[in-house]
Amino acid sequence: TPKPSSAASDVYKRQCHNDPTIDYTFNGNNGTTVYDWSNDNTSIGLPASGSGDILSFVATNTTFENQVATITVQPVLNGCDGIVEVLQIVVKPIPTVDIVPDQDLCANENTDAILFEGPMADSTVFDWTHDNVAIGLVSNGEGDIPSFVATNFGQTILDGNITVTPSLNDCIGTAQTITITVNPISTVSALSDTVCAGEIVPQIDFTGSNGSAEYSWV
């Protein structure tokens, strides 16, 4: 009777979606032993059955939960069945982050809080980086971003790009970028004039800190 395969003794292998697996090489006490195997979860990218070693393949999981495949290995030698061994392959899903809208506001206004969410049952971690601290937000963090006062001390439009990357159980998802646009606050130069009744009032030209500003008056 052939002995158990040394590569298949209650082994748990964890993979992320779209990652290649290792080679599963079966061996025992006789070099001519045939190893027949069956798989109870073909959704991971492995056929339902086969014979011999299981070479590396791309693990798949398009669901929102871990997919567990139980591989049952039956050694056969000269028509005699050996002791069955079992291994399991756990394929973890890739986390995602729901779309977050961009924001466009003026300096000194409060931003909307940015809440990161995803469809996974487990707790996804959302790490983010930010490329323009001049708008009043730090350069990196983890989790939701509370409302803050947007700043712009110049006269040009500032864009702050926040790149958030979801991770879950050591699997990294696709990053998403949110842009916060902070428009400058322009000023107008003080104007005054005195004329006598019946005189023509000179043209009043409005100027200020920003050449593209529009002036409304009452």
Side-chain angles (χ1 to χ4, degrees):
T1 300
K3 292 183 178 180
S5 166
S6 62
S9 299
D10 297 324
V11 176
Y12 289 80
K13 296 296 183 182
R14 289 174 170 81
Q15 308 283 151
C16 294
H17 172 66
N18 279 341
D19 280 352
T21 70
I22 63 171
D23 290 333
Y24 295 94
T25 303
F26 305 119
N27 54 76
N29 63 336
N30 193 301
T32 60
T33 298
V34 176
Y35 298 98
D36 296 323
W37 52 266
S38 62
N39 167 32
D40 70 350
N41 188 350
T42 58
S43 71
I44 71 164
L46 183 67
S49 62
S51 183
D53 298 334
I54 300 176
L55 299 181
S56 175
F57 64 94
V58 177
T60 60
N61 182 353
T62 57
T63 73
F64 298 143
E65 299 178 345
N66 288 348
Q67 289 297 309
V68 180
T70 300
I71 315 300
T72 302
V73 184
Q74 173 69 72
V76 180
L77 177 63
N78 298 326
C80 297
D81 291 340
I83 300 173
V84 168
E85 292 291 343
V86 173
L87 67 90
Q88 287 188 318
I89 301 175
V90 179
V91 184
K92 299 174 289 186
I94 294 295
T96 59
V97 55
D98 294 343
I99 294 175
V100 178
D102 296 335
Q103 298 186 39
D104 192 329
L105 60 162
C106 297
N108 298 334
E109 289 183 344
N110 289 323
T111 67
D112 293 332
I114 299 177
L115 307 178
F116 299 118
E117 297 178 331
M120 301 301 181
D122 294 334
S123 298
T124 302
V125 175
F126 300 100
D127 293 308
W128 52 266
T129 59
H130 174 233
D131 66 357
N132 191 352
V133 296
I135 72 166
L137 179 65
V138 296
S139 60
N140 60 79
E142 179 184 310
D144 298 335
I145 301 175
S147 174
F148 63 93
V149 177
T151 58
N152 184 345
F153 298 109
Q155 286 300 309
T156 59
I157 296 174
L158 295 180
D159 286 328
N161 299 299
I162 302 165
T163 301
V164 56
T165 303
S167 61
L168 176 64
N169 299 325
D170 298 322
C171 295
I172 308 299
T174 301
Q176 180 191 151
T177 299
I178 306 103
T179 299
I180 297 179
T181 299
V182 184
N183 297 286
I185 295 177
S186 58
T187 59
V188 60
S189 301
L191 302 168
S192 61
D193 199 1
T194 301
V195 296
C196 296
E199 290 184 344
I200 296 175
V201 178
Q203 176 175 309
I204 299 174
D205 295 319
F206 297 108
T207 60
S209 59
N210 196 308
S212 59
E214 297 179 357
Y215 300 95
S216 300
W217 56 269
V218 294

